[in-house]
Amino acid sequence: VFNAKTAELLSHHQVEIKQEFPREGWVEQDPKEILNSVYECVEKTCEKMKQLNINIANIRAIGVTNQRETTVVWDKTTGEPLYNAIVWLDLRTQSTVERLLKRIPGKNKTFSKFKTGLPLSTYFSAVKLRWLLDNVEEIRKAVEDRRAMFGTIDSWLIWSLTGGKNGGIHCTDVTNASRTMLFNIHSLEWDPELCKFFDIPMEILPNVRSSSEVYGLMVCFLKSGALTGVPISGCLGDQSAALVGQMCFRDGQAKNTYGTGCFLLCNTGQKSVFSEHGLITTIAYKMGRDKPAFYALEGSVAIAGAVVRWLRDNLGIAKTSQEVEKLAADVGTSYGCYFVPAFSGLYAPYWEPSARGIICGLTQFTNKSHIAFAALEAVCFQTREILDAMNKDCGIPLSQLQVDGGMTNNKILMQLQSDILCIPVVKPSMPETTALGAAMAAGAAEGVGVWSLNPGDLTAVTCERFEPQINPEESEYRYARWKKAVMKSMGWETSDSPNGKPK
């Protein structure tokens, strides 16, 4: 919850959501658990507000922000999901992608780039939806009976929060729609040709709206009845929300978010710019029904914070994420060890689904601290790769990098990032940038009008700066070695056999 006049964070609550890995390369979440976590966060935050003597009746609008691409299909008559949500990172659709590629002249991965801004990849929703229609009998039947609804997480939440099976609103915003591979980013409409190519019935798709307008009113299922009747009036995919929360409203402004993955977005204004260097073109935001759409170039890295979680949960070299940071701090170097965390293949700028994770340059001297340091370095090197691509595409190198996301609390990582990029890294003191962006969109909506997005009214944020501390030659040497390691991670995995197990 934010104060619309000062952008100050008043209260918050968070709940970790379980990821399920039913098979190698599969990543799922339970849509009901996601919805219940929202209810829990609303309840707990409202309780905290009461303790602070802030009247929750003063909450004027609700904004939604979500992990993009993650795909849910539910039954509109029962309100129940028909399968777990297939998460953006999931790789089960590799064989689906290969089958679709065969139908494209010259197997051209970028066949729809000028319509969608995206390459054909396991990452985007259309192939996940295709997999569900091909493999889940219940979903196929629900589509035939016209009971099925498709959406990314924002659609599932808004539909559920505005009444669900009793008149819930089935909608999404342009930023989330632009991640499905079914959406024309110029006409701002679902594309009938693409729906035909993926063989997806258009009636299951949500209505596409702007990122800032009243979609519907909150119908409350909460015991306390908190927030009943409050308009839901902001909706942005998480990376777009962070761009807004970082106030990157001008052409050429960029931010990098360090979450599970890493996402560098650069605002390109009202024109869509198409990358020659492996970045994707996406919708940044559209702040109102009659306002123009703004576009962004995006570098997407699949594994950033997830590598720390992997060291903690899979290898057990630390009990907490903070401990991983301490291990890295103890040695201050990876001692020539490089870690390419291509757990889900490589995203930008390579788009190489056959890559898998490797740790190389190991000697008898290497210990867990070096590996922890190499993992943090990997996040920074991956950011450098997408920043290099961004600088080439935009022609104007960034003079500093604005950052946000959970991992930015890691001071070693931020210093390392500045050293590897050779430019300052700037971090706002208030870390919840993504939530702030969604709140701004909600508060600025027509009919709500409590948050002004005029440049003159935006409050200056206090920041922490990290300046490069090593010489550029050393930085270049390490980066060149990293690129060598990346090359060694490629071409590892062949296509899955029919049972989803590698051959």
Side-chain angles (χ1 to χ4, degrees):
V1 179
F2 295 90
N3 178 325
K5 293 281 173 283
T6 62
E8 178 196 355
L9 177 65
L10 299 177
S11 180
H12 67 104
H13 187 75
Q14 63 185 38
V15 176
E16 191 166 336
I17 291 165
K18 273 202 297 294
Q19 303 242 39
E20 294 170 36
F21 305 100
R23 291 196 204 174
E24 189 194 2
W26 291 32
V27 191
E28 296 179 2
Q29 288 170 342
D30 175 356
K32 293 296 284 275
E33 186 191 340
I34 295 175
L35 181 61
N36 289 331
S37 77
V38 171
Y39 292 144
E40 186 181 336
C41 286
V42 169
E43 287 283 27
K44 291 282 197 303
T45 304
C46 288
E47 281 167 24
K48 290 178 188 175
M49 302 273 285
K50 282 180 182 142
Q51 285 161 10
L52 294 166
N53 287 329
I54 304 171
N55 186 352
I56 59 168
N58 290 336
I59 295 177
R60 293 288 299 277
I62 296 166
V64 173
T65 179
N66 58 296
Q67 46 169 332
R68 306 165 304 171
E69 300 95 16
T70 298
T71 298
V72 193
V73 179
W74 67 94
D75 184 325
K76 63 183 174 193
T77 57
T78 64
E80 293 294 312
L82 293 166
Y83 195 80
N84 270 347
I86 300 186
V87 176
W88 58 277
L89 276 170
D90 184 280
L91 287 181
R92 77 188 66 188
T93 52
Q94 191 48 44
S95 51
T96 311
V97 168
E98 282 166 20
R99 199 179 71 240
L100 291 164
L101 266 177
K102 287 191 184 117
R103 292 174 35 203
I104 302 163
K107 290 194 173 178
N108 177 11
K109 233 183 259 186
T110 59
F111 80 109
S112 77
K113 172 172 157 175
F114 294 107
K115 265 187 180 181
T116 64
L118 314 172
L120 184 56
S121 158
T122 57
Y123 180 22
F124 307 110
S125 316
V127 285
K128 301 180 194 295
L129 183 50
R130 184 65 259 146
W131 187 92
L132 287 167
L133 292 165
D134 289 337
N135 292 282
V136 183
E137 185 53 45
E138 247 185 293
I139 288 183
R140 224 182 1 246
K141 192 155 174 8
V143 169
E144 275 168 30
D145 300 347
R146 298 184 172 258
R147 287 180 287 115
M149 283 183 163
F150 152 79
T152 40
I153 298 295
D154 54 309
S155 301
W156 161 243
L157 291 178
I158 292 172
W159 184 81
S160 301
L161 296 172
T162 54
K165 61 184 180 189
N166 303 313
I169 307 292
H170 189 212
C171 69
T172 186
D173 88 300
V174 289
T175 66
N176 279 295
S178 77
R179 312 300 293 193
T180 58
M181 240 187 146
L182 299 170
F183 187 69
N184 184 316
I185 60 174
H186 310 291
S187 67
L188 305 182
E189 288 169 335
W190 297 119
D191 190 289
E193 283 177 17
L194 286 166
C195 291
K196 202 167 156 189
F197 174 77
F198 288 104
D199 194 18
I200 283 162
M202 291 182 80
E203 60 271 14
I204 72 172
L205 304 176
N207 287 323
V208 185
R209 317 270 288 266
S210 76
S211 315
S212 178
E213 61 177 90
V214 176
Y215 311 111
L217 305 181
M218 179 90 158
V219 173
C220 234
F221 307 102
L222 300 173
K223 291 185 282 294
S224 65
L227 304 192
T228 303
V230 177
I232 298 179
S233 55
C235 179
L236 287 159
D238 52 5
Q239 303 314 322
S240 285
L243 194 72
V244 170
Q246 286 266 28
M247 324 275 173
C248 295
F249 293 122
R250 287 199 315 278
D251 197 341
Q253 286 185 301
K255 65 88 206 168
N256 195 33
T257 299
Y258 299 77
T260 302
C262 231
F263 300 90
L264 177 65
L265 271 75
C266 180
N267 189 332
T268 61
Q270 292 176 40
K271 58 182 189 305
S272 49
V273 174
F274 293 93
S275 172
E276 298 297 318
H277 302 96
L279 302 178
I280 60 186
T281 305
T282 201
I283 297 182
Y285 51 80
K286 182 181 188 298
M287 286 304 194
R289 214 174 299 186
D290 308 320
K291 298 277 198 306
F294 279 68
Y295 295 87
L297 270 177
E298 171 173 322
S300 334
V301 167
I303 304 290
V307 72
V308 175
R309 202 189 240 194
W310 182 84
L311 289 174
R312 184 191 73 188
D313 299 347
N314 295 33
L315 286 198
I317 70 168
K319 288 195 174 57
T320 64
S321 302
Q322 285 70 33
E323 219 176 299
V324 174
E325 182 180 356
K326 191 181 175 311
L327 285 172
D330 289 345
V331 285
T333 169
S334 66
Y335 210 79
C337 156
Y338 288 82
F339 187 164
V340 182
F343 302 156
S344 296
L346 288 166
Y347 283 14
Y350 301 102
W351 299 105
E352 189 46 76
S354 69
R356 286 295 175 273
I358 59 165
I359 302 176
C360 52
L362 299 174
T363 65
Q364 280 177 305
F365 183 75
T366 313
N367 63 31
K368 63 183 181 180
S369 298
H370 299 122
I371 289 172
F373 194 91
L376 296 185
E377 247 182 348
V379 175
C380 300
F381 286 134
Q382 291 184 104
T383 298
R384 163 107 190 237
E385 289 188 309
I386 51 180
L387 188 70
D388 280 0
M390 193 78 78
N391 288 340
K392 283 178 197 151
D393 280 323
C394 296
I396 311 154
L398 285 181
S399 54
Q400 60 175 34
L401 184 64
Q402 286 176 243
V403 301
D404 58 79
M407 281 190 98
T408 59
N409 294 328
N410 183 330
K411 287 197 164 38
I412 290 170
L413 181 73
M414 292 297 97
Q415 185 54 53
L416 203 50
Q417 186 67 85
S418 177
D419 288 344
I420 286 169
L421 297 179
C422 306
I423 57 172
V425 166
V426 181
K427 163 190 177 270
S429 319
M430 198 284 294
E432 303 293 341
T433 315
T434 306
L436 175 61
M440 289 165 69
E446 200 181 328
V448 178
V450 294
W451 202 306
S452 166
L453 299 182
N454 295 333
D457 299 330
L458 296 173
T459 43
V461 244
T462 52
C463 291
E464 193 176 348
R465 272 175 85 84
F466 297 85
E467 304 278 350
Q469 289 177 354
I470 64 172
N471 67 36
E473 289 74 40
E474 189 192 337
S475 184
E476 290 306 320
Y477 171 75
R478 278 158 54 183
Y479 184 46
R481 299 274 289 203
W482 157 264
K483 289 198 132 157
K484 197 169 157 185
V486 170
M487 290 305 146
K488 296 204 184 304
S489 76
M490 289 188 189
W492 188 260
E493 199 52 74
T494 51
S495 171
D496 283 0
S497 57
N499 63 1
K501 298 269 191 292
K503 287 190 179 104

